[in-house]
Amino acid sequence: MSSTMVQSLSRATTATFEELALLFPEHDLSPEQAAAPFDVAVSVEFRGPLTGRLVLRASSNILGSIAANMLGEDASRERPLQRDALGEIANVICGNVLPAIAGVEVVFNLSAPHVYEGVESVSRGNDEPSARVMYGIEQGRTEAVLYLFGEHGQRAA
């Protein structure tokens, strides 16, 4: 993993949670956060000068806070809106990290976020991450993983 990519992913993830979801990710996880399961994930695929995907895994117990802060208190109880809010977080992280690693002049096409319940269905064979960051948020945790394929990653898409 490139330290530059990890730093770029870390900055994009932290800024997105702080600015969009009004939540403050913590680098040092508490025992409660570390024990929280990753039971929902969102994947955003992209094509352009770089091809790959960004996967955002999270503990479902933080989805209500994300949705409430982004969409209002009523949305915090509706599971589809919680997933939509997490998808938007992943989309914004992806949209912010790509210019940081590829340059601001390049254009990428991003797919719509795809939500997975459970995390096993997100992995694809032997994909190796190009960057990975994990944070504690409230009583749960989240992990952003960037995969690059082709020249810049492990396998062609």
Side-chain angles (χ1 to χ4, degrees):
M1 280 187 233
S2 158
S3 65
T4 302
M5 279 194 224
V6 172
Q7 289 172 355
S8 296
L9 182 59
S10 178
R11 280 192 294 270
T13 303
T14 300
T16 301
F17 272 101
E18 289 176 353
E19 295 168 12
L20 191 59
L22 305 175
L23 295 170
F24 300 96
E26 304 165 9
H27 286 286
D28 297 322
L29 278 66
S30 70
E32 180 183 24
Q33 291 168 329
F38 287 130
D39 44 13
V40 64
V42 179
S43 178
V44 176
E45 296 190 11
F46 55 87
R47 293 196 178 279
L50 302 173
T51 300
R53 74 180 187 285
L54 178 110
V55 175
L56 182 64
R57 301 183 330 155
S59 304
S60 61
N61 64 354
I62 66 172
L63 297 182
S65 295
I66 293 170
N69 291 348
M70 290 176 64
L71 304 170
E73 191 61 38
D74 290 339
S76 69
R77 292 181 288 280
E78 296 185 37
R79 190 78 170 151
L81 292 176
Q82 291 176 354
R83 287 193 226 89
D84 287 349
L86 187 65
E88 184 60 18
I89 293 282
N91 198 39
V92 172
I93 292 170
C94 190
N96 287 332
V97 76
L98 292 174
I101 62 176
V104 295
E105 300 296 320
V106 298
V107 176
F108 286 92
N109 293 313
L110 277 61
S111 70
H114 185 81
V115 179
Y116 299 88
E117 295 294 329
V119 294
E120 296 304 318
S121 57
V122 178
S123 68
R124 295 182 186 169
N126 296 324
D127 291 353
E128 290 294 325
S130 299
R132 177 189 311 259
V133 295
M134 186 182 311
Y135 296 101
I137 297 179
E138 295 188 340
Q139 293 79 34
R141 62 185 173 139
T142 188
E143 176 185 57
V145 186
L146 180 66
Y147 296 92
L148 299 176
F149 305 129
E151 290 179 33
H152 304 281
Q154 299 300 317
R155 69 174 175 94

